Amino acid sequence: MPVVLSTTLLLAASNVFMTSAWYAHLKNLSDRPWYIAAFISWGIACFEYLIQVPANRIGHTQMSVSQLKVMQEVITLSVFAPFAVLYMNEPLKWDYLWAGACLLGAVYFIFRS
């Protein structure tokens, strides 16, 4: 499997865990004390790191740290927008499109030769 593809897939998987760790407690654990939510979130985030660290190590064989960071931000928005709309029941906003357009500009500049 090409390095960029495997890195992208692993970062996308890690982002699902990251997004869940950061935001799912707002819906699922809102009636619990914050420290319970934090403890559970840390447990979920552990899986994120177990996927994200190998993804960045694989990606760094062909990409710079800056390219990995921009790739991560694009993936983050790609995972977060559906999560916010479908799971958290937030309205879809034009701001997601504009943020995505800005990130496409970042992708262009960081990956151009």
Side-chain angles (χ1 to χ4, degrees):
M1 181 180 300
V3 168
V4 173
L5 179 60
S6 61
T7 301
T8 301
L9 293 174
L10 286 169
L11 288 176
S14 77
N15 237 283
V16 169
F17 286 104
M18 180 194 76
T19 302
S20 297
W22 282 25
Y23 302 106
H25 66 88
L26 297 173
K27 180 176 181 178
N28 300 333
L29 300 171
S30 61
D31 59 337
R32 303 288 177 99
W34 71 267
Y35 52 87
I36 300 287
F39 183 74
I40 291 171
S41 292
W42 288 337
I44 295 168
C46 177
F47 292 106
E48 183 241 335
Y49 279 98
L50 291 172
I51 300 169
Q52 175 264 336
V53 170
N56 282 329
R57 285 179 172 242
I58 292 166
H60 195 250
T61 64
Q62 291 186 6
M63 292 179 276
S64 70
V65 173
S66 299
Q67 289 172 325
L68 285 168
K69 180 60 180 170
V70 169
M71 177 185 278
Q72 176 66 33
E73 295 304 327
V74 170
I75 292 168
T76 297
L77 184 62
S78 300
V79 169
F80 179 77
F83 175 86
V85 172
L86 299 173
Y87 188 76
M88 297 298 289
N89 299 318
E90 294 202 358
L92 184 61
K93 297 180 180 180
W94 281 102
D95 293 342
Y96 295 136
L97 175 67
W98 304 132
C102 290
L103 285 173
L104 286 178
V107 168
Y108 170 77
F109 286 111
I110 206 71
F111 281 95
R112 71 182 174 155
S113 298

